[in-house]
Amino acid sequence: MRRTGLIFGTALTVVCALSAPPAQAAATLTTKGPGFKISTQLGVTSVSPTRPYTVTFASADLKRRYTPYLATALSQLAAAGVRISFGGVETLRRGTCPPAGHIHYVETYRPLGRGGFSKGMPCADPPGGVALGGVVAMDSEYFDGSWYISRHKLSNTFVHEMLHTLGLDHPNLDLDEDGVVETYECVTDKGGLKPVMCSPNGGYRTSGAAELTGLDLDGIKALLANARKQGID
Ligand SMILES: [Ca+2]
Ligand SMILES: [Zn+2]
């Protein structure tokens, strides 16, 4: 069966119910913008402009297969001021956070317990609210042929989940004011694009797309600016 609808989710739908944003973060820090939202409910309010972020993989095979999907996004993030680069292979105990600054990719069967969904989670409540990276679990179904996903959605999923680990949440809003924040209900940029962080998916729809939109970059810039506002290096 071919399914092209809901492709990725995260545990954020679960987490949203847990707690209000930390009180100390509310006053001066940017927490959202027209096309982005920061994961304050997970205690992440900034991205360090100086500390390194490193993308690691659970195996050499994953590194080989996943790197092409992430290279453009890493260039964009670096250009925006994030010190991010590819690292190597490391083993992580299930359910734990990787070493500081690592964004660790694994491949598991239905990490959210739902077919076709992948999961990206930041390490919660990092000191000072500075993103420490996290774990991305890509659904193995995309790669063994058991779940159809278009090339552009797969590419966007890689980037979407990575941005969760840096502290971006779904920016969905009740734009039509029907009282419900719906899937795909996200602002668009001048070119009609939804942010790649839109739930369940957004971003460029060209084949092989794996880029942040300008709206997502606004979110990254806000995370970096929050660090500077707090004097965080
Ligand atoms: Ca609505
Ligand atoms: Zn998501």
Side-chain angles (χ1 to χ4, degrees), residues 90-116:
E90 67 184 348
T91 303
L92 197 64
R93 204 150 44 84
R94 203 180 167 91
T96 61
C97 258
H102 288 200
I103 296 165
H104 185 69
Y105 275 80
V106 300
E107 189 172 301
T108 59
Y109 176 73
R110 298 189 175 184
L112 274 186
R114 298 173 66 181

Side-chain angles (χ1 to χ4, degrees), residues 173-182 185:
L173 290 167
D174 185 19
L175 296 172
D176 62 6
E177 299 184 331
D178 66 351
V180 185
V181 177
E182 286 139 295
E185 199 172 7

Side-chain angles (χ1 to χ4, degrees), residues 132-155:
L132 274 179
V135 176
V136 173
M138 297 294 293
D139 184 7
S140 62
E141 295 174 297
Y142 309 145
F143 309 101
D144 65 11
S146 62
W147 190 276
Y148 172 75
I149 183 168
S150 67
R151 172 90 180 172
H152 76 266
K153 280 188 180 172
L154 176 60
S155 300

Side-chain angles (χ1 to χ4, degrees), residues 8-10 12 160-161 164 170 197 199-200:
F8 41 59
T10 73
L12 286 173
H160 176 113
E161 305 302 356
H164 275 315
H170 303 139
M197 290 313 290
S199 176

Side-chain angles (χ1 to χ4, degrees), residues 12 37-39 163-164 166-170 197 216 219-220 223:
L12 286 173
K37 187 172 171 225
I38 290 175
S39 302
L163 296 185
H164 275 315
L166 288 173
L168 289 185
D169 196 352
H170 303 139
M197 290 313 290
D216 303 298
I220 293 296
L223 283 159

